[in-house]
Amino acid sequence: MIVIGATIGGVTNFLAIKMLFRPHEPKYIGSVRIPFTPGLIPKRRDELASSLGKTVVKHLLTPEGMRKRLLDDQISSHITHFAQREVHAMLRSEKTVRSLIEPLYPNAETRFLALADEKMREELTKVIAEVKTRKLYELLGEEGMDRVRALIPEIVEALLVKSEEYFYSPEGEAQLRHMVDSFVQRRLGFIAGFIQNMNLVEMVRPEIVNILRGSSTRTGMTTMITREFERFSEKSVDTLLDERLEARLVDGVVSEVVTRLPIGQLLDRSVCTYTRDVEDQVVEELVPKGVTLVIERFTDQMETIMDRLKIDQIVQEQVQSLDTSYLEEIVLSISKREFRAITWLGALLGGMIGLIQGLIAIV
Protein backbone atom coordinates (compact mmCIF):
# COMPACT_ATOMS: atom_id res chain seq x y z
CA MET A 1 0.00 0.00 0.00
CA ILE A 2 2.95 2.34 0.64
CA VAL A 3 4.27 1.67 -2.89
CA ILE A 4 0.83 2.11 -4.41
CA GLY A 5 0.22 5.37 -2.51
CA ALA A 6 3.66 6.74 -3.43
CA THR A 7 3.15 5.82 -7.05
CA ILE A 8 -0.28 7.45 -7.19
CA GLY A 9 0.95 10.61 -5.44
CA GLY A 10 4.04 10.98 -7.65
CA VAL A 11 2.25 10.23 -10.92
CA THR A 12 -0.64 12.53 -10.00
CA ASN A 13 1.65 15.48 -9.30
CA PHE A 14 3.71 14.70 -12.40
CA LEU A 15 0.54 14.70 -14.53
CA ALA A 16 -0.71 17.88 -12.85
CA ILE A 17 2.53 19.67 -13.71
CA LYS A 18 2.45 18.38 -17.28
CA MET A 19 -1.17 19.47 -17.63
CA LEU A 20 -0.11 23.06 -17.02
CA PHE A 21 1.25 23.04 -20.58
CA ARG A 22 0.06 19.90 -22.32
CA PRO A 23 -1.56 19.18 -24.54
CA HIS A 24 -0.85 22.33 -26.51
CA GLU A 25 -4.01 21.96 -28.57
CA PRO A 26 -7.51 20.78 -27.65
CA LYS A 27 -8.14 17.06 -28.24
CA TYR A 28 -11.40 15.58 -29.49
CA ILE A 29 -13.14 12.25 -29.55
CA GLY A 30 -15.36 12.69 -32.50
CA SER A 31 -16.96 16.08 -31.96
CA VAL A 32 -16.57 16.00 -28.17
CA ARG A 33 -13.61 17.86 -26.68
CA ILE A 34 -11.67 15.90 -24.08
CA PRO A 35 -11.79 17.66 -20.68
CA PHE A 36 -8.70 19.57 -19.53
CA THR A 37 -7.42 19.98 -23.08
CA PRO A 38 -5.57 22.07 -23.96
CA GLY A 39 -3.40 22.58 -20.88
CA LEU A 40 -4.04 25.36 -18.38
CA ILE A 41 -1.45 27.81 -19.69
CA PRO A 42 -2.21 27.34 -23.43
CA LYS A 43 -5.90 27.62 -22.68
CA ARG A 44 -5.58 30.85 -20.70
CA ARG A 45 -2.54 32.31 -22.47
CA ASP A 46 -4.42 35.44 -23.51
CA GLU A 47 -5.48 36.14 -19.93
CA LEU A 48 -1.95 35.36 -18.75
CA ALA A 49 -0.46 37.75 -21.32
CA SER A 50 -2.87 40.55 -20.39
CA SER A 51 -2.27 40.07 -16.67
CA LEU A 52 1.49 39.92 -17.16
CA GLY A 53 1.46 43.14 -19.20
CA LYS A 54 -0.49 45.00 -16.52
CA THR A 55 1.77 43.61 -13.80
CA VAL A 56 4.92 44.75 -15.61
CA VAL A 57 3.59 48.29 -16.02
CA LYS A 58 2.14 48.53 -12.54
CA HIS A 59 4.93 47.00 -10.50
CA LEU A 60 8.07 46.58 -12.64
CA LEU A 61 8.56 49.20 -15.36
CA THR A 62 6.99 52.13 -13.50
CA PRO A 63 7.57 55.77 -14.56
CA GLU A 64 9.09 56.53 -11.17
CA GLY A 65 11.48 53.58 -11.40
CA MET A 66 12.55 54.50 -14.92
CA ARG A 67 12.99 58.15 -13.90
CA LYS A 68 15.10 57.19 -10.90
CA ARG A 69 17.24 54.87 -13.01
CA LEU A 70 17.89 57.42 -15.74
CA LEU A 71 18.81 60.11 -13.20
CA ASP A 72 21.35 57.81 -11.57
CA ASP A 73 24.84 59.30 -11.82
CA GLN A 74 26.33 56.09 -13.19
CA ILE A 75 23.76 55.83 -15.97
CA SER A 76 23.98 59.52 -16.96
CA SER A 77 27.79 59.27 -16.92
CA HIS A 78 27.68 56.21 -19.18
CA ILE A 79 25.31 57.94 -21.60
CA THR A 80 27.51 61.06 -21.61
CA HIS A 81 30.68 59.08 -22.35
CA PHE A 82 28.93 57.19 -25.13
CA ALA A 83 27.61 60.43 -26.67
CA GLN A 84 31.04 62.09 -26.41
CA ARG A 85 32.71 59.13 -28.10
CA GLU A 86 30.22 59.08 -30.96
CA VAL A 87 30.24 62.86 -31.45
CA HIS A 88 34.04 62.94 -31.30
CA ALA A 89 34.27 60.29 -34.04
CA MET A 90 31.72 62.13 -36.15
CA LEU A 91 33.47 65.51 -35.82
CA ARG A 92 36.78 64.01 -36.93
CA SER A 93 35.30 62.20 -39.89
CA GLU A 94 37.02 62.66 -43.25
CA LYS A 95 33.78 61.92 -45.05
CA THR A 96 32.15 64.74 -46.97
CA VAL A 97 28.94 66.28 -45.79
CA ARG A 98 27.31 65.10 -49.01
CA SER A 99 28.20 61.44 -48.35
CA LEU A 100 26.66 61.64 -44.87
CA ILE A 101 23.38 63.27 -45.78
CA GLU A 102 22.75 61.73 -49.22
CA PRO A 103 21.41 58.42 -47.78
CA LEU A 104 18.96 60.39 -45.64
CA TYR A 105 18.39 63.31 -48.02
CA PRO A 106 18.94 62.26 -51.68
CA ASN A 107 19.79 64.95 -54.25
CA ALA A 108 20.65 67.28 -51.41
CA GLU A 109 22.23 70.03 -53.53
CA THR A 110 19.30 70.28 -55.92
CA ARG A 111 16.80 70.21 -53.08
CA PHE A 112 18.71 72.82 -51.06
CA LEU A 113 18.83 75.16 -54.06
CA ALA A 114 15.13 74.60 -54.76
CA LEU A 115 14.32 75.28 -51.13
CA ALA A 116 16.48 78.43 -51.13
CA ASP A 117 14.74 79.60 -54.31
CA GLU A 118 11.31 79.01 -52.82
CA LYS A 119 12.08 80.68 -49.49
CA MET A 120 13.77 83.68 -51.11
CA ARG A 121 10.80 84.22 -53.41
CA GLU A 122 8.42 84.09 -50.48
CA GLU A 123 10.46 86.50 -48.36
CA LEU A 124 11.22 88.88 -51.23
CA THR A 125 7.54 88.97 -52.21
CA LYS A 126 6.63 89.81 -48.61
CA VAL A 127 9.28 92.55 -48.48
CA ILE A 128 8.10 94.09 -51.75
CA ALA A 129 4.46 93.95 -50.61
CA GLU A 130 5.46 95.84 -47.45
CA VAL A 131 7.67 98.32 -49.31
CA LYS A 132 4.97 99.10 -51.90
CA THR A 133 2.74 100.65 -49.25
CA ARG A 134 5.40 103.17 -48.19
CA LYS A 135 6.31 106.56 -49.64
CA LEU A 136 9.58 106.89 -51.50
CA TYR A 137 10.93 109.42 -48.98
CA GLU A 138 10.06 106.98 -46.15
CA LEU A 139 11.98 104.26 -47.91
CA LEU A 140 15.04 106.45 -48.48
CA GLY A 141 14.95 108.10 -45.08
CA GLU A 142 16.21 111.59 -44.32
CA GLU A 143 19.81 110.58 -44.87
CA GLY A 144 19.00 109.02 -48.24
CA MET A 145 17.02 112.10 -49.29
CA ASP A 146 19.96 114.37 -48.37
CA ARG A 147 22.37 112.22 -50.37
CA VAL A 148 20.12 112.41 -53.45
CA ARG A 149 19.81 116.20 -53.07
CA ALA A 150 23.58 116.42 -52.80
CA LEU A 151 23.98 114.44 -56.03
CA ILE A 152 21.62 116.60 -58.09
CA PRO A 153 24.22 119.38 -58.82
CA GLU A 154 26.68 116.74 -59.97
CA ILE A 155 24.01 115.20 -62.18
CA VAL A 156 23.17 118.59 -63.67
CA GLU A 157 26.86 119.31 -64.33
CA ALA A 158 27.27 115.95 -66.04
CA LEU A 159 24.16 116.53 -68.16
CA LEU A 160 25.37 119.96 -69.30
CA VAL A 161 28.85 118.68 -70.14
CA LYS A 162 27.40 115.80 -72.13
CA SER A 163 25.01 118.21 -73.87
CA GLU A 164 27.91 120.44 -74.93
CA GLU A 165 29.83 117.44 -76.21
CA TYR A 166 26.75 116.32 -78.10
CA PHE A 167 26.33 119.61 -79.98
CA TYR A 168 29.97 119.42 -81.14
CA SER A 169 29.64 115.80 -82.25
CA PRO A 170 28.71 114.94 -85.88
CA GLU A 171 25.38 113.60 -84.76
CA GLY A 172 24.64 116.69 -82.69
CA GLU A 173 25.75 119.01 -85.48
CA ALA A 174 23.45 117.22 -87.95
CA GLN A 175 20.55 117.46 -85.52
CA LEU A 176 21.24 121.14 -84.90
CA ARG A 177 21.45 121.82 -88.64
CA HIS A 178 18.14 120.08 -89.18
CA MET A 179 16.53 122.18 -86.45
CA VAL A 180 17.90 125.43 -87.83
CA ASP A 181 16.82 124.62 -91.38
CA SER A 182 13.35 123.69 -90.19
CA PHE A 183 13.11 126.91 -88.19
CA VAL A 184 14.21 129.04 -91.12
CA GLN A 185 11.79 127.38 -93.56
CA ARG A 186 8.91 127.64 -91.11
CA ARG A 187 9.50 131.16 -89.80
CA LEU A 188 11.24 133.14 -92.55
CA GLY A 189 9.50 131.77 -95.60
CA PHE A 190 10.77 133.46 -98.82
CA ILE A 191 13.76 135.00 -97.02
CA ALA A 192 15.11 131.51 -96.37
CA GLY A 193 16.41 131.35 -99.93
CA PHE A 194 18.66 134.35 -99.35
CA ILE A 195 20.35 132.89 -96.29
CA GLN A 196 20.78 129.28 -97.35
CA ASN A 197 24.46 129.81 -97.95
CA MET A 198 25.00 131.18 -94.43
CA ASN A 199 26.42 128.79 -91.84
CA LEU A 200 23.76 129.36 -89.23
CA VAL A 201 24.87 126.32 -87.18
CA GLU A 202 28.21 127.96 -86.42
CA MET A 203 26.31 131.06 -85.39
CA VAL A 204 23.78 129.30 -83.18
CA ARG A 205 25.98 126.65 -81.58
CA PRO A 206 28.26 128.99 -79.59
CA GLU A 207 25.22 130.74 -78.20
CA ILE A 208 23.69 127.43 -77.09
CA VAL A 209 26.99 126.38 -75.49
CA ASN A 210 27.20 129.73 -73.68
CA ILE A 211 23.72 129.15 -72.34
CA LEU A 212 24.69 125.66 -71.18
CA ARG A 213 27.79 127.03 -69.47
CA GLY A 214 25.93 129.83 -67.71
CA SER A 215 25.52 129.62 -63.93
CA SER A 216 21.85 130.52 -64.23
CA THR A 217 21.27 127.45 -66.35
CA ARG A 218 22.93 125.22 -63.73
CA THR A 219 20.99 126.87 -60.95
CA GLY A 220 17.72 126.64 -62.81
CA MET A 221 18.13 122.99 -63.77
CA THR A 222 19.27 122.10 -60.24
CA THR A 223 16.22 123.84 -58.75
CA MET A 224 13.87 122.22 -61.26
CA ILE A 225 15.24 118.71 -60.79
CA THR A 226 15.26 119.10 -57.00
CA ARG A 227 11.66 120.26 -57.05
CA GLU A 228 10.61 117.36 -59.27
CA PHE A 229 12.48 114.95 -57.05
CA GLU A 230 10.71 116.30 -53.95
CA ARG A 231 7.36 115.92 -55.67
CA PHE A 232 8.26 112.45 -56.93
CA SER A 233 9.36 111.31 -53.45
CA GLU A 234 5.82 111.89 -52.17
CA LYS A 235 4.55 109.04 -54.31
CA SER A 236 4.14 105.56 -52.92
CA VAL A 237 6.40 102.83 -54.24
CA ASP A 238 3.49 100.87 -55.72
CA THR A 239 3.05 103.59 -58.36
CA LEU A 240 6.51 102.68 -59.67
CA LEU A 241 6.00 98.89 -59.75
CA ASP A 242 3.50 96.90 -61.77
CA GLU A 243 3.05 93.14 -61.57
CA ARG A 244 5.32 92.46 -64.52
CA LEU A 245 8.15 94.62 -63.16
CA GLU A 246 7.74 93.13 -59.70
CA ALA A 247 7.93 89.58 -61.10
CA ARG A 248 11.04 90.46 -63.12
CA LEU A 249 12.61 92.04 -60.05
CA VAL A 250 11.94 88.95 -57.91
CA ASP A 251 13.15 86.58 -60.65
CA GLY A 252 16.30 88.61 -61.23
CA VAL A 253 17.29 88.91 -57.58
CA VAL A 254 16.51 85.27 -56.73
CA SER A 255 18.29 83.97 -59.82
CA GLU A 256 21.42 86.00 -59.09
CA VAL A 257 21.55 84.98 -55.44
CA VAL A 258 20.70 81.28 -55.87
CA THR A 259 23.20 80.75 -58.69
CA ARG A 260 25.92 82.23 -56.48
CA LEU A 261 25.19 80.00 -53.47
CA PRO A 262 28.16 77.61 -53.04
CA ILE A 263 26.00 74.71 -51.89
CA GLY A 264 27.97 72.15 -53.89
CA GLN A 265 31.31 73.31 -52.49
CA LEU A 266 29.96 73.26 -48.95
CA LEU A 267 28.59 69.74 -49.35
CA ASP A 268 31.83 68.40 -50.82
CA ARG A 269 33.95 69.54 -47.89
CA SER A 270 34.82 67.00 -45.20
CA VAL A 271 33.10 67.22 -41.85
CA CYS A 272 36.34 67.83 -39.97
CA THR A 273 36.99 71.07 -41.88
CA TYR A 274 33.87 72.54 -40.31
CA THR A 275 34.40 71.22 -36.81
CA ARG A 276 38.16 71.43 -36.33
CA ASP A 277 38.06 74.69 -34.38
CA VAL A 278 35.08 73.81 -32.18
CA GLU A 279 35.69 70.11 -31.61
CA ASP A 280 36.91 70.36 -28.01
CA GLN A 281 34.19 72.80 -27.01
CA VAL A 282 31.47 70.63 -28.51
CA VAL A 283 32.72 67.36 -26.98
CA GLU A 284 33.69 68.68 -23.54
CA GLU A 285 30.99 71.30 -22.96
CA LEU A 286 28.02 71.03 -25.28
CA VAL A 287 27.60 67.23 -25.28
CA PRO A 288 27.41 66.84 -21.45
CA LYS A 289 24.99 69.76 -21.23
CA GLY A 290 22.95 68.34 -24.08
CA VAL A 291 22.81 64.87 -22.51
CA THR A 292 21.76 66.32 -19.16
CA LEU A 293 19.09 68.44 -20.80
CA VAL A 294 17.74 65.52 -22.83
CA ILE A 295 17.61 63.23 -19.78
CA GLU A 296 15.82 65.89 -17.73
CA ARG A 297 13.29 66.59 -20.46
CA PHE A 298 12.85 62.86 -21.07
CA THR A 299 12.27 62.05 -17.40
CA ASP A 300 9.86 64.98 -17.02
CA GLN A 301 7.70 63.41 -19.72
CA MET A 302 8.26 59.81 -18.58
CA GLU A 303 4.64 59.11 -17.69
CA THR A 304 3.38 60.44 -21.00
CA ILE A 305 6.06 58.55 -22.94
CA MET A 306 5.37 55.24 -21.23
CA ASP A 307 1.65 55.74 -21.63
CA ARG A 308 2.06 56.31 -25.38
CA LEU A 309 4.45 53.37 -25.68
CA LYS A 310 1.73 51.14 -24.19
CA ILE A 311 4.22 48.75 -22.66
CA ASP A 312 1.45 46.53 -21.30
CA GLN A 313 0.24 45.91 -24.85
CA ILE A 314 3.81 45.22 -26.01
CA VAL A 315 4.28 42.60 -23.27
CA GLN A 316 0.88 41.11 -24.00
CA GLU A 317 1.56 40.85 -27.73
CA GLN A 318 5.00 39.33 -27.18
CA VAL A 319 3.66 36.69 -24.79
CA GLN A 320 0.82 35.86 -27.18
CA SER A 321 3.28 35.50 -30.04
CA LEU A 322 5.42 32.96 -28.15
CA ASP A 323 5.06 29.34 -29.16
CA THR A 324 3.52 27.28 -26.35
CA SER A 325 6.37 24.78 -26.38
CA TYR A 326 8.89 27.60 -26.09
CA LEU A 327 6.91 29.14 -23.21
CA GLU A 328 6.92 25.72 -21.52
CA GLU A 329 10.67 25.46 -22.03
CA ILE A 330 11.19 28.88 -20.42
CA VAL A 331 9.11 28.03 -17.35
CA LEU A 332 10.67 24.58 -16.95
CA SER A 333 14.20 25.96 -17.30
CA ILE A 334 13.46 28.22 -14.35
CA SER A 335 11.39 25.87 -12.17
CA LYS A 336 12.60 22.42 -13.18
CA ARG A 337 14.05 21.61 -9.76
CA GLU A 338 10.93 22.87 -7.99
CA PHE A 339 8.63 20.84 -10.23
CA ARG A 340 10.75 17.72 -9.57
CA ALA A 341 10.53 18.43 -5.84
CA ILE A 342 6.74 18.73 -6.10
CA THR A 343 6.62 15.35 -7.90
CA TRP A 344 8.67 13.63 -5.19
CA LEU A 345 6.67 15.41 -2.51
CA GLY A 346 3.52 13.92 -4.02
CA ALA A 347 5.16 10.48 -3.95
CA LEU A 348 6.20 11.01 -0.30
CA LEU A 349 2.73 12.11 0.74
CA GLY A 350 1.19 9.18 -1.19
CA GLY A 351 3.55 6.76 0.53
CA MET A 352 2.70 8.22 3.96
CA ILE A 353 -1.01 7.92 3.18
CA GLY A 354 -0.45 4.30 2.07
CA LEU A 355 1.45 3.60 5.32
CA ILE A 356 -1.39 5.04 7.39
CA GLN A 357 -3.95 3.07 5.43
CA GLY A 358 -1.87 -0.10 5.92
CA LEU A 359 -1.65 0.46 9.68
CA ILE A 360 -5.38 1.08 9.84
CA ALA A 361 -6.02 -2.10 7.84
CA ILE A 362 -3.80 -4.12 10.18
CA VAL A 363 -5.49 -2.71 13.26
Short mmCIF file of all heavy atoms in Angstrom, two decimals, residues 156-191:
data_model
loop_
_atom_site.label_atom_id
_atom_site.label_comp_id
_atom_site.label_asym_id
_atom_site.label_seq_id
_atom_site.Cartn_x
_atom_site.Cartn_y
_atom_site.Cartn_z
N VAL A 156 23.40 117.47 -62.76
CA VAL A 156 23.17 118.59 -63.67
C VAL A 156 24.45 118.93 -64.42
O VAL A 156 24.45 119.16 -65.65
CB VAL A 156 22.65 119.81 -62.89
CG1 VAL A 156 22.64 121.05 -63.78
CG2 VAL A 156 21.26 119.54 -62.35
N GLU A 157 25.58 119.00 -63.71
CA GLU A 157 26.86 119.31 -64.33
C GLU A 157 27.20 118.28 -65.39
O GLU A 157 27.65 118.61 -66.50
CB GLU A 157 27.95 119.33 -63.25
CG GLU A 157 29.33 119.67 -63.76
CD GLU A 157 29.43 121.10 -64.27
OE1 GLU A 157 28.64 121.95 -63.81
OE2 GLU A 157 30.28 121.36 -65.14
N ALA A 158 26.98 117.01 -65.08
CA ALA A 158 27.27 115.95 -66.04
C ALA A 158 26.37 116.06 -67.26
O ALA A 158 26.81 115.87 -68.41
CB ALA A 158 27.09 114.58 -65.38
N LEU A 159 25.10 116.38 -67.04
CA LEU A 159 24.16 116.53 -68.16
C LEU A 159 24.57 117.69 -69.08
O LEU A 159 24.54 117.57 -70.31
CB LEU A 159 22.74 116.76 -67.63
CG LEU A 159 22.04 115.54 -67.02
CD1 LEU A 159 20.71 115.96 -66.40
CD2 LEU A 159 21.80 114.47 -68.08
N LEU A 160 24.98 118.80 -68.49
CA LEU A 160 25.37 119.96 -69.30
C LEU A 160 26.65 119.68 -70.08
O LEU A 160 26.77 120.07 -71.26
CB LEU A 160 25.56 121.17 -68.39
CG LEU A 160 24.27 121.70 -67.72
CD1 LEU A 160 24.59 122.84 -66.78
CD2 LEU A 160 23.26 122.16 -68.77
N VAL A 161 27.61 119.01 -69.44
CA VAL A 161 28.85 118.68 -70.14
C VAL A 161 28.56 117.75 -71.31
O VAL A 161 29.08 117.92 -72.43
CB VAL A 161 29.86 118.05 -69.16
CG1 VAL A 161 31.06 117.48 -69.92
CG2 VAL A 161 30.33 119.08 -68.15
N LYS A 162 27.75 116.73 -71.07
CA LYS A 162 27.40 115.80 -72.13
C LYS A 162 26.61 116.50 -73.24
O LYS A 162 26.76 116.16 -74.43
CB LYS A 162 26.59 114.63 -71.57
CG LYS A 162 27.38 113.69 -70.66
CD LYS A 162 28.49 113.02 -71.45
CE LYS A 162 29.27 112.06 -70.55
NZ LYS A 162 30.38 111.41 -71.31
N SER A 163 25.77 117.47 -72.86
CA SER A 163 25.01 118.21 -73.87
C SER A 163 25.94 119.02 -74.76
O SER A 163 25.78 119.07 -75.99
CB SER A 163 24.00 119.13 -73.18
OG SER A 163 23.08 118.39 -72.42
N GLU A 164 26.94 119.66 -74.15
CA GLU A 164 27.91 120.44 -74.93
C GLU A 164 28.69 119.54 -75.86
O GLU A 164 28.89 119.86 -77.05
CB GLU A 164 28.86 121.18 -73.98
CG GLU A 164 29.86 122.07 -74.69
CD GLU A 164 30.73 122.85 -73.71
OE1 GLU A 164 30.34 122.96 -72.53
OE2 GLU A 164 31.79 123.34 -74.15
N GLU A 165 29.11 118.39 -75.36
CA GLU A 165 29.83 117.44 -76.21
C GLU A 165 28.95 116.96 -77.35
O GLU A 165 29.42 116.74 -78.47
CB GLU A 165 30.32 116.26 -75.37
CG GLU A 165 31.38 116.62 -74.36
CD GLU A 165 31.77 115.44 -73.48
OE1 GLU A 165 31.13 114.36 -73.64
OE2 GLU A 165 32.68 115.57 -72.64
N TYR A 166 27.68 116.80 -77.08
CA TYR A 166 26.75 116.32 -78.10
C TYR A 166 26.64 117.33 -79.25
O TYR A 166 26.64 116.93 -80.42
CB TYR A 166 25.39 116.07 -77.47
CG TYR A 166 24.32 115.69 -78.48
CD1 TYR A 166 24.27 114.41 -79.04
CD2 TYR A 166 23.37 116.62 -78.88
CE1 TYR A 166 23.31 114.07 -79.97
CE2 TYR A 166 22.39 116.28 -79.81
CZ TYR A 166 22.37 115.01 -80.35
OH TYR A 166 21.41 114.68 -81.28
N PHE A 167 26.50 118.60 -78.93
CA PHE A 167 26.33 119.61 -79.98
C PHE A 167 27.58 119.75 -80.85
O PHE A 167 27.50 120.24 -81.98
CB PHE A 167 25.97 120.96 -79.37
CG PHE A 167 24.53 121.03 -78.93
CD1 PHE A 167 24.19 121.26 -77.61
CD2 PHE A 167 23.49 120.85 -79.85
CE1 PHE A 167 22.88 121.33 -77.21
CE2 PHE A 167 22.17 120.92 -79.44
CZ PHE A 167 21.86 121.14 -78.11
N TYR A 168 28.75 119.37 -80.36
CA TYR A 168 29.97 119.42 -81.14
C TYR A 168 30.27 118.09 -81.84
O TYR A 168 31.23 117.99 -82.60
CB TYR A 168 31.16 119.80 -80.24
CG TYR A 168 31.25 121.29 -80.02
CD1 TYR A 168 30.83 121.86 -78.84
CD2 TYR A 168 31.77 122.13 -81.02
CE1 TYR A 168 30.91 123.22 -78.63
CE2 TYR A 168 31.86 123.50 -80.82
CZ TYR A 168 31.42 124.04 -79.62
OH TYR A 168 31.48 125.40 -79.43
N SER A 169 29.47 117.09 -81.58
CA SER A 169 29.64 115.80 -82.25
C SER A 169 28.96 115.82 -83.61
O SER A 169 28.08 116.66 -83.86
CB SER A 169 29.04 114.68 -81.39
OG SER A 169 27.63 114.81 -81.32
N PRO A 170 29.36 114.97 -84.55
CA PRO A 170 28.71 114.94 -85.88
C PRO A 170 27.21 114.73 -85.78
O PRO A 170 26.44 115.35 -86.52
CB PRO A 170 29.41 113.76 -86.57
CG PRO A 170 30.74 113.66 -85.90
CD PRO A 170 30.51 114.04 -84.48
N GLU A 171 26.82 113.86 -84.92
CA GLU A 171 25.38 113.60 -84.76
C GLU A 171 24.66 114.84 -84.26
O GLU A 171 23.59 115.21 -84.75
CB GLU A 171 25.18 112.43 -83.79
CG GLU A 171 23.72 112.04 -83.59
CD GLU A 171 23.55 110.91 -82.59
OE1 GLU A 171 24.57 110.39 -82.10
OE2 GLU A 171 22.40 110.58 -82.30
N GLY A 172 25.26 115.47 -83.22
CA GLY A 172 24.64 116.69 -82.69
C GLY A 172 24.62 117.82 -83.69
O GLY A 172 23.65 118.59 -83.77
N GLU A 173 25.70 117.95 -84.47
CA GLU A 173 25.75 119.01 -85.48
C GLU A 173 24.68 118.80 -86.54
O GLU A 173 24.00 119.74 -86.98
CB GLU A 173 27.14 119.04 -86.12
CG GLU A 173 27.31 120.14 -87.15
CD GLU A 173 28.73 120.20 -87.71
OE1 GLU A 173 29.61 119.52 -87.15
OE2 GLU A 173 28.94 120.93 -88.70
N ALA A 174 24.49 117.54 -86.96
CA ALA A 174 23.45 117.22 -87.95
C ALA A 174 22.07 117.52 -87.39
O ALA A 174 21.20 118.07 -88.10
CB ALA A 174 23.56 115.76 -88.37
N GLN A 175 21.85 117.19 -86.14
CA GLN A 175 20.55 117.46 -85.52
C GLN A 175 20.31 118.95 -85.41
O GLN A 175 19.20 119.45 -85.68
CB GLN A 175 20.52 116.82 -84.12
CG GLN A 175 19.19 116.98 -83.39
CD GLN A 175 18.03 116.23 -84.07
OE1 GLN A 175 18.26 115.25 -84.77
NE2 GLN A 175 16.83 116.72 -83.89
N LEU A 176 21.36 119.69 -85.01
CA LEU A 176 21.24 121.14 -84.90
C LEU A 176 20.98 121.78 -86.26
O LEU A 176 20.16 122.70 -86.39
CB LEU A 176 22.51 121.70 -84.26
CG LEU A 176 22.51 123.21 -83.95
CD1 LEU A 176 21.36 123.58 -83.01
CD2 LEU A 176 23.85 123.62 -83.34
N ARG A 177 21.65 121.29 -87.29
CA ARG A 177 21.45 121.82 -88.64
C ARG A 177 20.03 121.59 -89.11
O ARG A 177 19.39 122.45 -89.71
CB ARG A 177 22.45 121.17 -89.60
CG ARG A 177 22.47 121.80 -91.01
CD ARG A 177 23.49 121.10 -91.88
NE ARG A 177 24.83 121.19 -91.28
CZ ARG A 177 25.61 122.27 -91.37
NH1 ARG A 177 25.18 123.35 -92.00
NH2 ARG A 177 26.81 122.26 -90.80
N HIS A 178 19.52 120.39 -88.80
CA HIS A 178 18.14 120.08 -89.18
C HIS A 178 17.16 121.01 -88.47
O HIS A 178 16.19 121.50 -89.07
CB HIS A 178 17.84 118.62 -88.84
CG HIS A 178 16.42 118.23 -89.09
ND1 HIS A 178 15.89 118.07 -90.35
CD2 HIS A 178 15.38 117.98 -88.21
CE1 HIS A 178 14.61 117.74 -90.27
NE2 HIS A 178 14.29 117.67 -88.96
N MET A 179 17.40 121.29 -87.20
CA MET A 179 16.53 122.18 -86.45
C MET A 179 16.57 123.59 -86.99
O MET A 179 15.52 124.26 -87.13
CB MET A 179 16.95 122.16 -84.97
CG MET A 179 16.71 120.83 -84.26
SD MET A 179 17.45 120.78 -82.61
CE MET A 179 16.65 122.18 -81.83
N VAL A 180 17.77 124.06 -87.31
CA VAL A 180 17.90 125.43 -87.83
C VAL A 180 17.21 125.56 -89.19
O VAL A 180 16.48 126.53 -89.47
CB VAL A 180 19.38 125.83 -87.93
CG1 VAL A 180 19.55 127.15 -88.69
CG2 VAL A 180 19.98 125.95 -86.54
N ASP A 181 17.45 124.58 -90.05
CA ASP A 181 16.82 124.62 -91.38
C ASP A 181 15.30 124.59 -91.26
O ASP A 181 14.59 125.31 -91.98
CB ASP A 181 17.31 123.44 -92.22
CG ASP A 181 18.76 123.58 -92.62
OD1 ASP A 181 19.29 124.70 -92.51
OD2 ASP A 181 19.37 122.55 -93.01
N SER A 182 14.80 123.77 -90.37
CA SER A 182 13.35 123.69 -90.19
C SER A 182 12.81 125.01 -89.66
O SER A 182 11.73 125.48 -90.09
CB SER A 182 13.01 122.56 -89.20
OG SER A 182 13.42 121.32 -89.70
N PHE A 183 13.55 125.63 -88.73
CA PHE A 183 13.11 126.91 -88.19
C PHE A 183 13.09 127.99 -89.27
O PHE A 183 12.13 128.77 -89.38
CB PHE A 183 14.05 127.33 -87.04
CG PHE A 183 13.74 128.67 -86.48
CD1 PHE A 183 12.70 128.88 -85.60
CD2 PHE A 183 14.51 129.78 -86.87
CE1 PHE A 183 12.42 130.14 -85.10
CE2 PHE A 183 14.23 131.04 -86.37
CZ PHE A 183 13.18 131.22 -85.48
N VAL A 184 14.13 128.02 -90.07
CA VAL A 184 14.21 129.04 -91.12
C VAL A 184 13.08 128.86 -92.13
O VAL A 184 12.40 129.82 -92.52
CB VAL A 184 15.59 128.99 -91.82
CG1 VAL A 184 15.60 129.88 -93.07
CG2 VAL A 184 16.68 129.43 -90.87
N GLN A 185 12.85 127.65 -92.60
CA GLN A 185 11.79 127.38 -93.56
C GLN A 185 10.42 127.71 -92.99
O GLN A 185 9.54 128.23 -93.69
CB GLN A 185 11.83 125.89 -93.97
CG GLN A 185 13.05 125.50 -94.79
CD GLN A 185 13.04 126.14 -96.18
OE1 GLN A 185 11.98 126.51 -96.72
NE2 GLN A 185 14.23 126.28 -96.77
N ARG A 186 10.23 127.43 -91.72
CA ARG A 186 8.91 127.64 -91.11
C ARG A 186 8.66 129.11 -90.74
O ARG A 186 7.54 129.60 -90.85
CB ARG A 186 8.80 126.75 -89.86
CG ARG A 186 7.40 126.72 -89.27
CD ARG A 186 7.29 125.66 -88.17
NE ARG A 186 8.21 125.90 -87.07
CZ ARG A 186 9.29 125.21 -86.86
NH1 ARG A 186 9.61 124.21 -87.69
NH2 ARG A 186 10.10 125.46 -85.83
N ARG A 187 9.68 129.81 -90.31
CA ARG A 187 9.50 131.16 -89.80
C ARG A 187 9.81 132.26 -90.82
O ARG A 187 9.16 133.31 -90.81
CB ARG A 187 10.42 131.37 -88.57
CG ARG A 187 10.08 130.46 -87.41
CD ARG A 187 8.75 130.81 -86.80
NE ARG A 187 8.48 130.00 -85.61
CZ ARG A 187 7.38 130.13 -84.88
NH1 ARG A 187 6.43 131.01 -85.22
NH2 ARG A 187 7.19 129.35 -83.83
N LEU A 188 10.80 132.04 -91.67
CA LEU A 188 11.24 133.14 -92.55
C LEU A 188 10.66 133.04 -93.96
O LEU A 188 10.69 134.02 -94.71
CB LEU A 188 12.77 133.15 -92.61
CG LEU A 188 13.48 133.33 -91.26
CD1 LEU A 188 14.98 133.37 -91.46
CD2 LEU A 188 13.01 134.59 -90.55
N GLY A 189 10.17 131.92 -94.32
CA GLY A 189 9.50 131.77 -95.60
C GLY A 189 10.43 132.08 -96.78
O GLY A 189 11.46 131.46 -96.97
N PHE A 190 10.04 133.15 -97.59
CA PHE A 190 10.77 133.46 -98.82
C PHE A 190 12.18 133.97 -98.55
O PHE A 190 13.06 133.91 -99.40
CB PHE A 190 10.00 134.51 -99.65
CG PHE A 190 9.96 135.88 -98.99
CD1 PHE A 190 10.91 136.85 -99.33
CD2 PHE A 190 9.01 136.19 -98.03
CE1 PHE A 190 10.87 138.11 -98.73
CE2 PHE A 190 8.98 137.45 -97.44
CZ PHE A 190 9.91 138.41 -97.79
N ILE A 191 12.43 134.49 -97.33
CA ILE A 191 13.76 135.00 -97.02
C ILE A 191 14.75 133.86 -96.87
O ILE A 191 15.96 134.04 -96.97
CB ILE A 191 13.73 135.86 -95.73
CG1 ILE A 191 12.70 136.98 -95.88
CG2 ILE A 191 15.09 136.43 -95.39
CD1 ILE A 191 12.56 137.85 -94.65
#
